[in-house]
Amino acid sequence: MNNADSLSASDDGPIIVAGDADLPAYTAAGHGMMSCHHCGTVWQEVRDHEDCQRCGTPLHMRKPHSIMRSWAFLIAACIMYIPANLMPVMVTKTLLGTQQDTIMSGVIYFWVSGSWELAAIIFIASFLVPLFKLASLILLTLTAQKRSRWRRLQRAKLYRLVEIIGRWSMLDVFVVSLLAGLVQIEGFAKITAGFGVLAFASVVVLTMLAALSFDPRLTWDSNDTEPTANQSKRLLRN
Amino acid sequence: MREVPDLIACEGCDALYRKVSLRRGEIAHCPRCGTELDRDAGRQRERILPLTVASLIMFMIANSFPIVEIELQGLRSQTTLFGAVLSLTTEGMSLVAMLVLATTILFPLLQLLFLLYLLLSLRKQHRPAGFRWLVRAMQNLRPWGMVEVFLLGVLVAVVKLSNMATVIPGVALWAFGVLTVLLTAVVSFNPRHFWQMAFAGDDASGKDHKGISP
Ligand SMILES: [Zn+2]
Ligand SMILES: [Zn+2]
């Protein structure tokens, strides 16, 4: 993660070399500038909601209503997490009878049948990842709301991790869809999707939306990081 | 509003940096929060078009042939990805079916088609119709394409079935494998580069680039 080298690769170097999460930094917001989240262009003398002259995207200092939207998605995801784990995701009808599998019973099935690697993959992707995502996003939103300075670098890393692993919890939804498409053998076996898979899919989508609504810059917006006028001038002349 | 052309603001923490020219393959990270600031796309820009075409071909193969076939007591059954989506629809799981359709077929296909269109028209040195909309759509589609997760799902399903029936891997399974590798390279191309590519000519033609003054 240490790529300060690549930044100073050119002789100019960056205008700020902080290297330490606790140093006050020169932020765009602190200079009345806004960067376009779509094309990355930095603008000054700009008002909130004005359109980017390059790409036309409305500019915002921070994502609008970020905290409120994140909470809404997170609360909905928490509610759906319960049926996602309790209701069957897959229903297997064979000559021997009907079997209803929840996510956990799928994990146990693989575990007892000796495929512990698969049991681990499904347990991680379907149970741990969503739980970890929910807990992480709640922590991030709560600390950002309180404008906390607690472990900001770790929180930034946590946010990037949540963004990367989010998609992998779709695994079971794909497994069930494929099995339901494949096992339709008349008179022998038939696999259908259970209602749990809908709840589970909605947890994945809701947590992804929560992560997209959250503005990671809020983590760094503590009251005491605004540069003084003197510092700004030094920065601009540099 | 005035553009500040030589600055870049970190998307993770809003810190301002002066733009530096990166060497081949270099990636600049924010020293404060670690978010990626910029990456050199030099070599990638040459490769991205052939990779996109190859991905589209693989995509067609992956979706035209059965992924796996199973044999149970002499009875055979096989399915394509679209077939799996269809059977979800008939079981009353339309919402899930739509989600699977979107994340594994629709979004990846749209991403590839938009990319192809944009790359081809920029080659002819013009900004095509709907440029803004297409680049923005590409960026918004990025988190929602899940071909690689689907491939892992297929592998889990295959192992699950192997206890119950004879499993014969289909052509599409291998195509999905190749497609996953190709897409990893294609998706790492940041659509933001299109803005730099499209405005490369404008920037040289001496617009008002005063930058910031104290
Ligand atoms: Zn813009
Ligand atoms: Zn940063």
Side-chain angles (χ1 to χ4, degrees):
Chain A
M1 206 55 74
N2 180 20
N3 275 285
D5 292 357
S6 62
L7 263 175
S8 45
S10 148
D11 288 339
D12 303 356
I15 30 178
I16 314 111
V17 182
D20 184 336
D22 282 329
L23 282 178
Y26 305 99
T27 59
H31 289 283
M33 293 183 209
M34 277 186 227
S35 64
C36 174
H37 79 93
H38 176 56
C39 71
T41 315
V42 179
W43 300 99
Q44 63 174 350
E45 292 162 20
V46 55
R47 276 173 292 114
D48 230 31
H49 302 297
E50 221 174 331
D51 285 351
C52 172
Q53 278 177 14
R54 175 161 284 194
C55 71
T57 311
L59 296 167
H60 299 287
M61 196 73 93
R62 297 291 176 264
K63 290 180 190 170
H65 312 297
S66 168
I67 301 271
M68 211 174 70
R69 288 171 44 121
S70 302
W71 278 129
F73 286 126
L74 282 172
I75 291 166
C78 284
I79 294 169
M80 294 311 278
Y81 188 74
I82 300 161
N85 281 288
L86 293 181
M87 294 183 80
V89 287
M90 197 170 82
V91 183
T92 315
K93 290 192 185 96
T94 58
L95 293 174
L96 304 167
T98 303
Q99 192 193 335
Q100 302 207 329
D101 280 305
T102 60
I103 283 169
M104 266 320 198
S105 71
V107 173
I108 293 163
Y109 165 81
F110 277 126
W111 188 268
V112 295
S113 63
S115 340
W116 64 269
E117 302 95 335
L118 276 180
I121 287 176
I122 297 178
F123 183 71
I124 291 167
S126 305
F127 184 76
L128 282 189
V129 168
L131 196 63
F132 172 77
K133 265 166 62 185
L134 280 175
S136 305
L137 285 168
I138 288 172
L139 179 78
L140 287 170
T141 314
L142 200 65
T143 47
Q145 191 172 21
K146 287 184 164 178
R147 297 182 142 241
S148 161
R149 289 173 58 85
W150 176 74
R151 299 191 173 206
R152 291 188 296 179
L153 186 58
Q154 283 86 344
R155 277 156 61 200
K157 284 180 181 167
L158 184 63
Y159 177 70
R160 288 199 296 276
L161 186 67
V162 167
E163 269 194 315
I164 295 166
I165 62 170
R167 50 215 285 107
W168 290 97
S169 32
M170 277 291 278
L171 183 73
D172 251 335
V173 176
F174 292 142
V175 173
V176 171
S177 333
L178 205 76
L179 291 177
L182 199 58
V183 184
Q184 304 287 341
I185 299 175
E186 212 57 53
F188 279 100
K190 185 174 162 62
I191 291 179
T192 52
F195 194 76
V197 84
L198 180 62
F200 191 80
S202 66
V203 171
V204 180
V205 173
L206 287 167
T207 48
M208 282 182 74
L209 288 173
L212 287 171
S213 311
F214 181 77
D215 193 330
R217 290 172 296 189
L218 294 174
T219 299
W220 301 87
D221 283 346
S222 306
N223 298 315
D224 48 352
T225 53
E226 300 304 309
T228 64
N230 252 342
Q231 283 173 320
S232 327
K233 275 187 182 161
R234 209 174 62 216
L235 159 78
L236 299 173
R237 289 208 179 110
N238 206 341
Chain B
M1 76 199 280
R2 258 188 312 146
E3 189 186 341
V4 196
D6 56 344
L7 289 188
I8 190 166
C10 174
E11 291 202 38
C13 71
D14 212 27
L16 282 171
Y17 298 95
R18 181 178 295 137
K19 275 183 197 163
V20 294
S21 50
L22 297 171
R23 276 180 288 194
R24 284 239 145 167
E26 262 183 337
I27 302 171
H29 288 266
C30 172
R32 190 182 181 217
C33 75
T35 304
E36 185 179 313
L37 292 171
D38 196 9
R39 68 163 67 202
D40 172 66
R43 208 176 299 152
Q44 205 183 13
R45 261 181 217 183
E46 299 150 24
R47 283 188 200 152
I48 192 78
L49 186 58
L51 281 174
T52 306
V53 176
S55 302
L56 274 169
I57 296 168
M58 275 304 146
F59 185 88
M60 296 303 164
I61 298 172
N63 282 292
S64 316
F65 293 92
I67 305 165
V68 277
E69 189 175 12
I70 56 165
E71 197 189 297
L72 184 65
Q73 319 251 347
L75 291 166
R76 279 165 181 262
S77 172
Q78 59 178 38
T79 189
T80 60
L81 175 49
F82 196 70
V85 171
L86 275 184
S87 70
L88 280 178
T89 322
T90 54
E91 287 159 19
M93 284 283 162
S94 312
L95 274 173
V96 182
M98 268 157 59
L99 186 67
V100 174
L101 182 76
T103 53
T104 57
I105 300 181
L106 193 64
F107 293 163
L109 179 65
L110 283 178
Q111 254 186 312
L112 287 172
L113 289 176
F114 291 174
L115 192 58
L116 185 71
Y117 174 71
L118 289 167
L119 286 168
L120 286 177
S121 50
L122 280 175
R123 267 188 146 198
K124 294 178 204 149
Q125 304 293 325
H126 76 94
R127 213 172 301 158
F131 180 84
R132 283 179 176 195
W133 190 87
L134 288 173
V135 179
R136 203 186 305 180
M138 274 193 60
Q139 213 152 21
N140 292 334
L141 287 176
R142 259 175 127 194
W144 301 99
M146 302 186 186
V147 172
E148 77 279 26
V149 183
F150 175 73
L151 181 66
L152 185 64
V154 175
L155 297 178
V156 171
V158 164
V159 178
K160 209 163 188 164
L161 285 167
S162 63
N163 293 351
M164 170 183 161
T166 315
V167 181
I168 308 140
V171 177
L173 180 61
W174 308 111
F176 268 114
V178 180
L179 180 64
T180 302
V181 177
L182 289 172
L183 275 183
T184 312
V186 172
V187 169
S188 77
F189 182 83
N190 191 338
R192 191 173 278 183
H193 286 300
F194 279 118
W195 288 105
Q196 287 152 24
M197 281 151 92
F199 280 86
D202 298 16
D203 284 348
S205 62
K207 280 200 311 188
D208 180 24
H209 278 167
K210 257 174 72 188
I212 33 175
S213 43

